[in-house]
Amino acid sequence: MAGTAVIGLSGLAILGITARALGADDYAAFGVFWSAVFFVVALIFGAQQESTRSVAQRRQPTGRTSLLTFAIVLGCLAALVLLVTAPAWR
């Protein structure tokens, strides 16, 4: 619990310092980067949870989807996001 609080406060501190150090335009670009980083982290955490569930399922079937199916769907969604947003990168 304390680790979550430290991470949250650190993130707020980084955003506050960055907002003061950069102008509005540069901070907007940083905000997009910051959001993208945490989007990727959220995807990785989701993959980690599904991997754990899949391994546990081998011991006790619960009717959940397989790890391979989850990985394929996650990969396709990531590729779709990259394809859709690629024109905005230029």
Side-chain angles (χ1 to χ4, degrees):
M1 187 74 165
T4 303
V6 169
I7 290 173
L9 292 173
S10 298
L12 286 174
I14 289 170
L15 291 174
I17 292 167
T18 306
R20 290 182 182 176
L22 302 175
D25 291 338
D26 290 335
Y27 183 73
F30 176 78
V32 170
F33 165 75
W34 192 256
S35 298
V37 166
F38 282 96
F39 177 73
V40 170
V41 168
L43 288 178
I44 291 170
F45 283 164
Q48 178 186 15
Q49 288 176 352
E50 286 300 318
S51 299
T52 303
R53 286 184 187 127
S54 178
V55 170
Q57 177 183 357
R58 296 200 186 269
R59 295 182 186 157
Q60 208 174 35
T62 60
R64 289 190 173 261
T65 185
S66 73
L67 179 59
L68 180 61
T69 303
F70 174 75
I72 290 171
V73 170
L74 183 62
C76 290
L77 287 174
L80 180 64
V81 168
L82 289 174
L83 287 172
V84 169
T85 61
W89 300 348
R90 296 177 189 216

